[in-house]
Amino acid sequence: MDGTLRKNIAVGSEVDIVQKHHQRTGELTNGFVKRLLTKVERHHRGIKVLLETGEVGRVQKVYPEED
């Protein structure tokens, strides 16, 4: 799913983020959202989130929820 739209991301969602210091390499970090940090509905580089592990970055991919 699209990580540039806030409506696609919720607390507890599994996502891949790119951290600021990995922007040049594009290295992704997987985790679960603890808090959404971007207030606007859309951000062209991805919604900024805080993961449960304490890492902060912009969402590149949102995994679908499993029922």
Side-chain angles (χ1 to χ4, degrees):
M1 254 194 281
D2 188 4
T4 64
L5 296 175
R6 197 171 196 273
K7 69 180 183 180
N8 292 341
I9 306 163
V11 172
S13 295
E14 183 180 3
V15 297
D16 285 341
I17 65 167
V18 64
Q19 297 177 65
K20 182 108 177 149
H21 60 277
H22 289 151
Q23 282 179 341
R24 287 182 186 229
T25 64
E27 182 180 329
L28 298 177
T29 304
N30 181 271
F32 293 91
V33 176
K34 182 174 183 179
R35 256 180 68 207
L36 282 82
L37 303 177
T38 299
K39 300 292 184 211
V40 294
E41 288 301 312
R42 170 182 229 113
H43 193 283
H44 67 283
R45 284 188 306 242
I47 300 297
K48 189 180 281 187
V49 297
L50 170 69
L51 299 183
E52 291 176 350
T53 57
E55 296 157 313
V56 173
R58 295 197 180 272
V59 176
Q60 303 300 300
K61 180 178 180 181
V62 181
Y63 291 91
E65 289 187 33
E66 296 179 10
D67 294 327

